[in-house]
Amino acid sequence: MMKGAGWLRILAVVLSGLLVAGMFPPFDIGALAWVALMPLLWALGSMAGVRVGWKGFGLGFLAGTVSGLVQFSWLATVSSLAALLLPLYLAIFWGLFGMVVARMRVDGSGLGLAFCQAAVWAGLEWLRGWLFTGFSWNGLGVSLHESLVMAQGADLLGLTGLSLGLVFVQGLGVFALRARSWRRLELGVGIGVVALWFAYGKVRLGIESGLDTVPLKALLVQINIPQDAGQVLWSDLEIHQAYEDETLRALEGLKSADGGLSEKWPDWVIWPECALTGRILRTPEGEWATWQINHDTISQVRGAGPFSLIYGVNELEAEKKGDRIFMKSKGRAYNSIAAMSPDDVLQTYRKQHLVIFGETIPFVEAVPFLKKIYEQQSGMEFGGSFTPGDSLEPLPIRAGGVVIGAIPTVCFEDTVARLTRKFVRAGPQVILNVTNDGWFKESAAAAQHFANAKFRAIELRRPMVRCANTGVSAALDSTGSARGRILTDDQGSHFTRGALWVEMDVPRSASFSLYAVVGDWGIILISLAGLILALRKSKTRLGCAA
């Protein structure tokens, strides 16, 4: 029979799981970031006896499962199986954290203990964002997305660096409470870390506000087309007509009284991921053609005036025969961004980080049963996997008299820091995202996606513009602030149809970002150091009973 202390530990880790879930949308209680893990840390630190490591794994796994089931409940709009399996998978990382931390012994100052706890958590957070293509969604640091000052530290070690700091501060707090006296060293260090963190954020905000910039005017068009999982509920004609109507209506409002182009005329008009239903055919030499329905829609909006048109589209491998371009037999398909200059010169970026069981099914040819699972859960036929692209070159797109390097991201790629970092170049750059969160209806998925995406602007010190079909269409500056530039309806909902005109200040030369230089290596090295120290502080040798 479980003793009272055992039940208390279980209640503590369940509480931690719920508090961590409360840090993110739709609850979005950012203040929980400073206390959410403390019940779990207390429970793990109070353990002793036989098989303490496995008991710690169990407690951590329980906390992670509870947290994941709440955080990712929106997956049930597509697949009830995914809403269960993803939390169980992510809980393994919580369990590994519990296994290591439960073995740590308190030895003198709590500084080393708190560092080990923080480093192990950060290492596991990085690992889950990399392993099996990775899932970096909702790291602890994302909870600071509305705390503009504290979020600025993401340009040092990335978003995971913020998680490192949060766990370190909470570890110090738990140690001080367990010592039954307010130890001046641990509390002083904790307060000092938070103060320095705050001061750094204030300094960085000041630096970013004083940069020399060039203007970029963009028009973001969001149609809010309803979907049932991956099945779009409008006809092709309805979709194309909606983009024509909404875009032309917005452009007409940006003209001067005499019908000419006003100072607000956009450099870029942006449509979201897979906006047009027709395909683009593209040869290895760069020649291209498109479906007639795409051509007709683009021609209609082109008549309003000059601008670069950027939109999401499916791209197919093609070959030229005589003067005509044909789809290549057994050619590959890509989820792409197309960028067309005012004179219709085309560039494309092919998405690299594909969504498993959304855009690709690993081993589907060898294990056909996976295809049946997909079709049963999504309610639609699996049409084959996209092929990942491989280009790491930004898209040069003109804005006024300046060429701006667009760092392209499709869908969830704006949550993958290690990928966006590879596009960083000198000169003015903007992170460009086209997405469609319509799979998940009016759930918390879109708000969570936006909260995660904000940190790419901070990590790389590049502003971001993102256009969604259903989701959050917005513009962010290099501090991750939208400053009101979010498309919403009169009730403040981002689940709406409309167009958003934004003017962005793009730094001619981005300010220094340590993360842009070293990437994830900083957090990897710190995590390895923490893990080694944690094993040295272990209550028992791994695999042995206490």
Side-chain angles (χ1 to χ4, degrees):
M1 182 177 294
M2 188 177 296
K3 296 180 180 179
W7 285 112
L8 191 58
R9 292 190 189 99
I10 289 176
L11 291 174
V13 301
V14 168
L15 177 60
S16 265
L18 293 173
L19 291 176
V20 169
M23 292 157 43
F24 307 109
F27 313 103
D28 221 7
I29 308 173
L32 295 177
W34 303 98
V35 298
L37 281 185
M38 291 180 73
L40 174 63
L41 293 174
W42 169 83
L44 295 173
S46 67
M47 297 180 68
V50 178
R51 298 172 64 83
V52 66
W54 286 109
K55 292 176 182 177
F57 181 90
L59 289 178
F61 186 85
L62 176 59
T65 300
V66 170
S67 187
L69 288 172
V70 177
Q71 287 183 60
F72 304 110
S73 59
W74 47 264
L75 274 171
T77 59
V78 174
S79 167
S80 56
L81 182 62
L84 174 64
L85 292 182
L86 180 63
L88 291 176
Y89 166 69
L90 298 178
I92 294 173
F93 297 93
W94 285 66
L96 293 173
F97 175 74
M99 174 177 280
V100 176
V101 172
R103 290 179 175 275
M104 294 181 194
R105 65 175 184 268
V106 179
D107 190 11
S109 168
L111 298 180
L113 180 67
F115 169 75
C116 291
Q117 293 169 343
V120 170
W121 180 278
L124 289 167
E125 197 171 278
W126 169 83
L127 183 63
R128 77 171 172 92
W130 172 84
L131 194 63
F132 308 127
T133 76
F135 186 77
S136 55
W137 195 280
N138 282 6
L140 289 185
V142 173
S143 60
L144 300 177
H145 75 101
E146 291 289 356
S147 179
L148 196 61
V149 175
M150 304 306 281
Q152 300 309 305
D155 69 352
L156 296 173
L157 296 172
L159 174 61
T160 310
L162 300 183
S163 302
L164 177 84
L166 289 171
V167 180
F168 179 69
V169 170
Q170 291 177 78
L172 291 175
V174 170
F175 184 85
L177 289 172
R178 286 182 62 84
R180 297 183 181 179
S181 64
W182 294 103
R183 299 176 62 103
R184 288 176 292 178
L185 176 61
E186 285 76 22
L187 285 179
V189 170
I191 293 171
V193 166
V194 174
L196 287 173
W197 193 339
F198 181 85
Y200 179 81
K202 295 292 286 186
V203 169
R204 287 313 310 239
L205 289 174
I207 291 173
E208 296 305 308
S209 67
L211 298 177
D212 182 27
T213 61
V214 296
L216 167 63
K217 299 166 188 153
L219 181 70
L220 318 180
V221 181
Q222 176 173 301
I223 302 300
N224 199 30
I225 300 168
Q227 289 184 224
D228 186 5
Q231 183 179 1
V232 178
L233 301 182
W234 285 4
S235 69
D236 292 357
L237 183 60
E238 288 175 313
I239 292 170
H240 284 252
Q241 190 64 55
Y243 279 110
E244 286 183 31
D245 293 346
E246 204 63 56
T247 305
L248 289 173
R249 184 182 302 113
L251 290 174
E252 187 64 29
L254 295 175
K255 289 184 176 180
S256 59
D258 60 2
L261 305 184
S262 72
E263 292 183 355
K264 288 190 172 184
W265 190 256
D267 302 299
W268 298 357
V269 171
I270 307 175
W271 295 340
E273 178 185 13
C274 296
L276 301 185
T277 62
R279 309 296 194 252
I280 281 180
L281 299 177
R282 194 164 172 85
T283 70
E285 295 76 29
E287 296 182 274
W288 66 281
T290 188
W291 265 230
Q292 186 65 42
I293 193 170
N294 286 11
H295 178 270
D296 292 345
T297 297
I298 292 170
S299 297
Q300 286 294 322
V301 298
R302 282 286 191 219
F307 51 80
S308 290
L309 179 63
I310 302 165
Y311 58 95
V313 68
N314 290 345
E315 181 182 359
L316 305 177
E317 278 191 316
E319 55 189 358
K320 191 171 184 180
K321 297 178 181 179
D323 293 332
R324 301 186 65 185
I325 295 174
F326 296 87
M327 185 167 55
K328 189 175 181 180
S329 177
K330 297 182 180 180
R332 291 171 291 189
Y334 304 92
N335 186 359
S336 298
I337 294 175
M340 300 175 66
S341 68
D343 53 356
D344 288 348
V345 174
L346 180 80
Q347 308 175 73
T348 60
Y349 161 76
R350 297 166 173 175
K351 185 181 183 185
Q352 299 182 40
H353 193 83
L354 301 180
V355 178
I356 294 178
F357 284 97
E359 295 170 316
T360 184
I361 301 179
F363 314 115
V364 68
E365 299 300 330
V367 189
F369 185 67
L370 295 174
K371 178 180 176 182
K372 293 182 179 179
I373 294 176
Y374 169 86
E375 293 176 344
Q376 187 274 328
Q377 290 292 312
S378 68
M380 60 184 295
E381 184 180 354
F382 179 66
S385 295
F386 284 111
T387 299
D390 56 12
S391 173
L392 296 176
E393 290 301 316
L395 299 176
I397 309 175
R398 187 168 291 277
V402 179
V403 174
I404 292 176
I407 296 177
T409 62
V410 179
C411 192
F412 294 166
E413 284 185 324
D414 63 355
T415 70
V416 186
R418 68 177 186 277
L419 175 61
T420 54
R421 172 183 166 270
K422 294 178 181 178
F423 289 87
V424 168
R425 303 289 188 273
Q429 286 192 298
V430 169
I431 302 170
L432 168 68
N433 179 250
V434 296
T435 189
N436 174 26
D437 293 334
W439 287 60
F440 311 109
K441 304 186 184 299
E442 294 189 8
S443 69
Q448 287 186 14
H449 186 183
F450 185 48
N452 280 264
K454 289 179 182 180
F455 289 91
R456 304 298 82 73
I458 302 171
E459 287 168 337
L460 304 180
R461 293 302 175 192
R462 267 76 177 169
M464 171 184 281
V465 60
R466 63 195 316 266
C467 184
N469 165 46
T470 297
V472 182
S473 296
L476 302 168
D477 62 24
S478 57
T479 70
S481 172
R483 292 188 295 175
R485 296 172 300 184
I486 301 176
L487 179 62
T488 59
D489 62 17
D490 293 339
Q491 286 73 46
S493 172
H494 51 257
F495 298 110
T496 185
R497 172 172 170 168
L500 175 68
W501 179 89
V502 296
E503 183 171 10
M504 306 173 65
D505 295 322
V506 182
R508 291 183 182 273
S509 181
S511 60
F512 178 76
S513 159
L514 180 64
Y515 181 78
V517 175
V518 304
D520 292 329
W521 282 107
I523 211 72
I524 291 171
L525 293 175
I526 290 173
S527 299
L528 287 175
L531 179 60
I532 292 170
L533 183 58
L535 295 178
R536 290 184 61 187
K537 293 173 70 68
S538 178
K539 295 172 183 175
T540 65
R541 293 183 180 178
L542 293 179
C544 299

